[in-house]
């Protein structure tokens, strides 16, 4: 049996997947992120995997249950994770300490208010054209963390009446947060951010010492730390202890699923199990996709892993211990990602107020959700 793989670029991948499912020519095994689970499962194009788990073809015995549940939609398992990550703060500890400031511990939390105060103080000590924090207007994963922190559990995507759950107040607060930091100078103006954001990471603002704090997924920690002479540390996203959820961490997965049109679904299930539960197979990935679900394999990987990978793995363990339960985005919600990013840029440029951006996103999201009903 010959196995043929295809690896188009990120943007091309989703176009090709939509075309393949529309034409009935989707591959047997498909790869998704957790963002897309609800979108595709709702279209009834994926094969439930519960039977393969019950029959032992896919073994989840040694798995972290929370990690395994990231592949569920409406209580059925559709995807098996190859690696998990979550948003974190990459902080240049060397830069912070060079101006006489200290960081909180890796197991300590910091609120958004305290984080803002930290950035403002740090900015007052940094040289010209250097900033406390890289702007996060284009970071949708961080936006969703904020939304989950401000939403009752289970209501972060769709309200009881079937409309987009995030409120004007919630989204306005998010846009105001970044705007206020721009006002203090802790975050650069939009033009500066756009210029630096287009550069490859090794020539980007964190690598070149132009910012002290950079929000990114934890699996990118190794890339930055090993490519920078300064000491980079990983800290948890700021918290919201006075809201519905102190934490809003959203576990982000790279996962395999099986198309309903698969010609060899049993073989596809064995293929998925091999990459998810085989130590040698996981060594090929080198934890670049994040922490693996099989905790016995993760323990083996940690023995010979790069120290930065171990730090990222421990971080995921910390995050997953008290993050809200995984909730797949409802159909239509993932599609609003680009609109959230474009509206955030408009606010950063001063072309929209925070309230206008919030109203715009809610309107677009409701249109997209309605299209998917």
């Amino acid at each position: 049996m010959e196995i043929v793989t295809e690896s188009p670029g990120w943007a091309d991948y989703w176009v090709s997947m939509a075309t393949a499912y529309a034409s009935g020519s989707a591959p047997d095994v498909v790869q998704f992120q957790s963002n897309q689970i609800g979108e595709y499962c709702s279209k009834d194009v994926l094969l439930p995997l519960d039977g393969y788990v019950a029959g032992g073809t896919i073994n989840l015995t040694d798995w972290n249950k929370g990690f395994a549940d990231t592949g569920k939609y409406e209580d059925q398992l559709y995807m098996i994770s190859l690696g998990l990550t979550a948003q974190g703060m990459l902080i240049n500890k060397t830069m912070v300490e060079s101006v006489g400031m200290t960081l909180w511990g890796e197991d300590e939390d910091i609120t958004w208010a305290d984080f803002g105060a930290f950035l403002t103080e740090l900015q007052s000590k940094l040289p010209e054209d250097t900033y406390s924090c890289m702007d996060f207007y284009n970071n949708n994963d961080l936006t969703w963390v904020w939304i989950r922190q401000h939403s009752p559990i289970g209501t972060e995507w769709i309200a009881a009446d079937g409309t987009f759950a995030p409120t004007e107040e919630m989204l306005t607060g998010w846009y105001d947060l970044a705007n206020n930091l721009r006002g203090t100078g802790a975050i650069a103006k939009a033009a500066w951010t756009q210029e630096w954001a287009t550069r490859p990471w090794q020539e980007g603002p964190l690598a070149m010492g132009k910012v002290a704090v950079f929000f990114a997924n934890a699996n990118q920690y190794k890339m930055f730390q090993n490519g920078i002479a300064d000491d980079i540390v990983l800290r948890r996203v700021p918290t919201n202890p006075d809201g519905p959820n102190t934490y809003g961490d959203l576990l982000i997965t790279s996962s395999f699923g099986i198309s309903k049109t698969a010609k060899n679904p049993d073989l596809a299930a064995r293929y998925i199990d091999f990459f998810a539960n085989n130590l040698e197979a996981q060594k090929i990935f080198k934890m670049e996709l994040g922490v693996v679900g099989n905790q016995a394999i993760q323990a083996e990987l940690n023995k010979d892993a790069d120290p930065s990978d171990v730090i990222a793995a421990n971080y995921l363990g910390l995050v997953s211990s008290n993050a809200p339960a995984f909730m797949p985005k409802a159909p239509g919600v993932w599609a609003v990602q680009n609109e959230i990013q474009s509206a955030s840029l408009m606010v950063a440029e001063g072309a929209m107020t925070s309230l206008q951006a919030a109203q715009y996103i809610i309107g677009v999201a409701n249109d997209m959700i309605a299209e998917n009903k």
Side-chain angles (χ1 to χ4, degrees):
M1 176 68 69
E2 181 182 8
I3 297 175
V4 179
T5 63
E6 297 180 6
S7 301
W10 175 259
D12 293 337
Y13 182 79
W14 300 113
V15 174
S16 64
M17 291 291 2
T19 302
Y21 278 116
S23 64
S25 60
D28 285 14
V29 178
V30 288
Q31 189 168 352
F32 294 92
Q33 280 194 335
S34 48
N35 278 328
Q36 296 88 30
I37 289 179
E39 203 77 27
Y40 280 85
C41 289
S42 67
K43 293 178 170 60
D44 196 31
V45 297
L46 298 176
L47 194 68
L49 304 179
D50 304 86
Y52 289 111
V53 174
T57 303
I58 297 176
N59 185 357
L60 299 183
T61 302
D62 294 322
W63 276 58
N64 176 307
K65 185 179 183 303
F67 291 1
D69 286 348
T70 61
K72 285 188 173 182
Y73 181 74
E74 295 185 347
D75 294 326
Q76 283 193 296
L77 183 68
Y78 287 94
M79 298 189 191
I80 302 296
S81 172
L82 301 173
L84 296 97
T85 188
Q87 276 285 294
M89 289 190 287
L90 307 184
I91 305 178
N92 188 322
K93 184 180 179 184
T94 302
M95 183 186 296
V96 172
E97 292 182 342
S98 72
V99 297
M101 294 180 64
T102 58
L103 289 175
W104 56 100
E106 61 187 30
D107 59 347
E108 296 180 81
D109 294 332
I110 187 170
T111 67
W112 283 106
D114 288 341
F115 177 61
F118 166 79
L119 292 183
T120 301
E121 180 182 356
L122 177 60
Q123 188 61 41
S124 70
K125 303 173 185 292
L126 293 176
E128 188 177 352
D129 199 43
T130 303
Y131 297 91
S132 297
C133 186
M134 183 66 173
D135 201 339
F136 38 82
Y137 72 80
N138 61 348
N139 188 329
N140 284 323
D141 289 330
L142 189 60
T143 307
W144 295 122
V145 173
W146 173 274
I147 288 172
R148 280 162 64 87
Q149 287 179 348
H150 291 76
S151 304
I153 291 177
T155 66
E156 54 263 68
W157 316 133
I158 302 294
D161 63 358
T163 60
F164 191 51
T167 64
E168 284 185 7
E169 180 182 11
M170 186 188 304
L171 294 173
T172 299
W174 172 246
Y175 294 128
D176 280 345
L177 171 71
N179 255 348
N180 291 340
L181 290 172
R182 291 185 199 102
T184 67
I187 287 179
K189 300 299 183 183
W192 188 98
T193 300
Q194 287 182 289
E195 177 190 347
W196 280 92
T198 59
R199 303 186 183 193
W201 73 266
Q202 61 268 37
E203 299 173 8
L206 185 65
M208 301 303 291
K210 303 301 290 185
V211 298
V213 180
F214 190 93
F215 285 95
N217 288 336
N219 61 312
Q220 296 180 20
Y221 171 70
K222 176 175 70 174
M223 175 181 74
F224 282 101
Q225 178 58 95
N226 292 354
I228 300 173
D230 287 355
D231 185 13
I232 307 298
V233 297
L234 183 59
R235 293 292 185 268
R236 196 166 190 170
V237 171
T239 63
N240 181 38
D242 297 325
N245 296 307
T246 298
Y247 306 103
D249 306 280
L250 183 65
L251 297 180
I252 303 166
T253 70
S254 287
S255 303
F256 275 156
I258 301 176
S259 297
K260 266 199 168 181
T261 56
K263 298 179 179 62
N264 297 285
D266 294 346
L267 179 61
R270 290 166 52 200
Y271 176 90
I272 290 174
D273 182 74
F274 173 76
F275 279 104
N277 290 313
N278 182 280
L279 177 60
E280 296 306 314
Q282 281 293 342
K283 284 181 178 180
I284 295 173
F285 288 112
K286 298 179 181 179
M287 293 173 61
E288 291 181 2
L289 296 175
V291 175
V292 301
N294 186 314
Q295 298 301 276
I297 288 181
Q298 183 63 57
E300 289 298 316
L301 291 174
N302 283 348
K303 292 178 181 178
D304 301 313
D306 184 290
S308 297
D309 278 330
V310 177
I311 290 173
N314 291 339
Y315 177 79
L316 261 293
L318 172 67
V319 165
S320 64
S321 67
N322 50 20
F326 178 80
M327 288 286 296
K329 291 187 178 72
V333 172
W334 173 57
V336 79
Q337 300 263 103
N338 290 339
E339 301 298 331
I340 290 176
Q341 184 169 318
S342 62
S344 298
L345 175 57
M346 296 283 278
V347 173
E349 294 176 330
M352 267 187 179
T353 66
S354 296
L355 177 58
Q356 287 171 337
Q359 292 170 338
Y360 171 76
I361 291 302
I362 291 171
V364 170
N366 281 328
D367 287 343
M368 291 182 174
I369 291 168
E371 290 174 4
N372 281 269
K373 288 183 178 178

